[in-house]
Amino acid sequence: MSRFLKEKLKSLETYTPGEQPQDKKYIKLNTNESPYPPSEAVINALTRSEIEDLRLYCDPECKKLKSAFAELYGVSEECLFFSNGSDDILNFVFWAFGQDGAAYNDITYGFYSVFAELHSIKPTVVPLKNDFTVDINAFLGQNKLIVIANPNAPTGIAVSPAEIEKIIASNRKNIVVVDEAYIDFGAESCIGLTEKYDNLLCVGTFSKSRSMAGARLGFAVGNKELINDLDRLKYSTNPYNVNRLTQIAGLAAVKDNRYYTDNCKKIMDTRDFVTSRLRGMGFTVLDSKANFIFAKSDKISGSELYKKLKEKDVLVRHFESERISDFNRITIGSREEMEIFLAKLNEILGE
Ligand code: PMP
């Protein structure tokens, strides 16, 4: 840290991303990436001539992508915003809408508390219930920025749009952001409610179900005034925040939606298979509607299991925070990867 850094930033607790080891090949079940590559259509869209066009700036409005996306989702283009990953949008959200404070769960996506601190926003931390479900009543009438990950991470547990609607309806002076990063793996989106409520913003990503984590493409759907607000921040920071190649890949992915919905089905089937195998081995596994599961065993601590798996070249994600330190979050890989994972797990438990 240099002596030039602002005082406030010196004490900032930054987000810790999952390990991205470059040293050797792991079975990588730690950052909720897709085990499947982008579709052939995406790969073919990234032609030599598109790469040569990298000398030109990209379209800051992402017009082609917006138009295809609007059609697929049945929303109007003016209600859509694209950015450099959904983290970028969440940053904007806290920056733009946090003036009355922000409420979010104690166990949820770790970036919310980082953004709250970064933008000097007073946090209201709402504990999950003992069974790790969201306490809907605790969010009612908060009248501040509310951010809910649905399905939640790292638990994988989803709530219904009807439950979230109660929160939106009771929080009309402020906005509710539903972070739908994992929505395509079996939960129901709140996008349909954005026409009814001007204080709802749904945020999504191409990183998980659309196999494009490395391309950085996030989106938000909401009332057009909210989208204008996000545009104000984008055009005051980095109007070109979705690069040319990502726009082209994103457009091809949207047009090839069936490939991705089929992948999601495969991942959900594999999730069900792994869940029942783990439960058969005595693990507690929360009911997940995401592309990961959250599991613990009485036979081995969360940190020990994480370490032993890593020794066997399988990476999962372990969180130190007290309420969840017994657990590991395990991304659902391909069926073959998960069979190797289960075999290594059996070896560890037998040792
Ligand atoms: N929300 C949640 C709940 C996440 O787990 C992630 C992935 N780390 C994100 C948002 C951000 O995803 P991205 O920036 O890759 O779109």
Side-chain angles (χ1 to χ4, degrees):
M1 203 177 296
S2 83
R3 64 197 159 90
F4 307 106
L5 188 66
K6 273 186 186 163
E7 264 326 297
K8 208 193 98 190
L9 293 179
K10 284 186 182 158
S11 58
L12 181 69
E13 244 183 78
T14 58
Y15 176 72
T16 313
E19 294 164 90
Q20 303 292 356
Q22 313 289 327
D23 57 335
K24 60 174 174 176
K25 266 258 175 256
Y26 286 92
I27 294 197
K28 201 168 169 301
L29 310 178
N30 69 327
T31 46
N32 299 341
E33 291 139 331
S34 175
Y36 304 113
S39 78
E40 277 302 307
V42 170
I43 292 163
N44 293 334
L46 298 169
T47 60
R48 186 181 177 92
S49 108
E50 296 291 1
I51 294 167
E52 281 171 0
D53 278 349
L54 279 177
R55 71 191 178 80
L56 303 168
Y57 282 107
C58 51
D59 171 15
E61 292 178 56
C62 306
K63 278 201 216 77
K64 286 185 189 154
L65 175 59
K66 215 176 252 181
S67 150
F69 191 95
E71 196 182 320
L72 179 66
Y73 279 76
V75 294
S76 111
E77 286 179 38
E78 59 193 8
C79 297
L80 273 177
F81 180 79
F82 288 94
S83 213
N84 190 255
S86 58
D87 283 338
D88 208 32
I89 302 178
L90 294 167
N91 179 35
F92 285 166
V93 157
F94 278 81
W95 192 4
F97 306 113
Q99 67 274 24
D100 297 327
Y104 46 83
N105 282 121
D106 59 342
I107 296 161
T108 191
Y109 185 36
F111 238 133
Y112 305 155
S113 56
V114 176
F115 289 138
E117 205 186 326
L118 178 64
H119 298 294
S120 305
I121 291 162
K122 188 166 175 269
T124 299
V125 177
V126 178
L128 291 180
K129 293 189 199 169
N130 286 340
D131 62 358
F132 295 107
T133 57
V134 175
D135 186 354
I136 298 292
N137 288 334
F139 280 103
L140 300 182
Q142 283 281 353
N143 285 315
K144 42 182 78 84
L145 168 65
I146 291 175
V147 184
I148 293 185
N150 188 41
N152 197 11
T155 63
I157 295 175
V159 283
S160 68
E163 295 283 59
I164 292 182
E165 186 170 3
K166 289 185 201 161
I167 299 175
I168 303 163
S170 79
N171 197 59
R172 299 290 284 157
K173 287 193 207 128
N174 255 300
I175 73 163
V176 176
V177 174
V178 186
D179 177 353
E180 299 190 337
Y182 302 102
I183 201 73
D184 296 330
F185 303 99
E188 206 187 323
S189 171
C190 286
I191 287 178
L193 291 174
T194 54
E195 274 185 46
K196 186 168 169 193
Y197 294 99
D198 66 355
N199 65 323
L200 167 64
L201 189 76
C202 292
V203 177
T205 180
F206 281 52
S207 295
K208 318 294 177 181
S209 57
R210 289 194 172 94
S211 307
M212 275 177 51
R216 315 305 301 128
L217 184 58
F219 61 89
V221 185
N223 173 276
K224 70 170 196 263
E225 271 86 32
L226 282 182
I227 299 301
N228 274 336
D229 298 342
L230 294 175
D231 272 327
R232 278 179 89 76
L233 295 186
K234 166 166 161 159
Y235 284 91
S236 308
T237 47
N238 181 5
Y240 304 112
N241 66 353
V242 182
N243 72 70
R244 289 189 84 90
L245 296 184
T246 295
Q247 290 192 34
I248 289 159
L251 174 63
V254 169
K255 287 188 178 161
D256 203 9
N257 197 46
R258 179 68 197 275
Y259 169 79
Y260 295 98
T261 51
D262 285 351
N263 282 348
C264 290
K265 275 197 213 101
K266 282 195 257 177
I267 290 168
M268 288 188 272
D269 286 347
T270 311
R271 177 185 70 206
D272 295 346
F273 157 73
V274 178
T275 301
S276 72
R277 285 287 295 276
L278 285 180
R279 284 182 179 152
M281 290 160 79
F283 276 79
T284 301
V285 187
L286 304 187
D287 282 325
S288 171
K289 291 270 190 271
N291 66 339
F292 55 84
I293 49 176
F294 205 44
K296 70 168 181 176
S297 162
D298 293 339
K299 299 190 193 107
I300 184 164
S301 75
S303 59
E304 189 67 12
L305 181 56
Y306 159 81
K307 273 190 230 132
K308 294 233 153 130
L309 282 168
K310 190 170 179 185
E311 281 163 23
K312 291 181 185 288
D313 300 341
V314 178
L315 272 187
V316 296
R317 184 97 197 245
H318 180 255
F319 299 91
E320 293 295 343
S321 77
E322 204 193 321
R323 261 188 99 180
I324 53 170
S325 62
D326 291 343
F327 285 82
N328 278 293
R329 191 193 68 191
I330 303 149
T331 303
I332 302 300
S334 65
R335 174 84 183 212
E336 299 71 40
E337 286 174 319
M338 298 322 281
E339 285 185 2
I340 298 171
F341 158 76
L342 289 167
K344 305 242 165 165
L345 195 58
N346 257 323
E347 283 169 26
I348 292 166
L349 295 178
E351 277 164 11

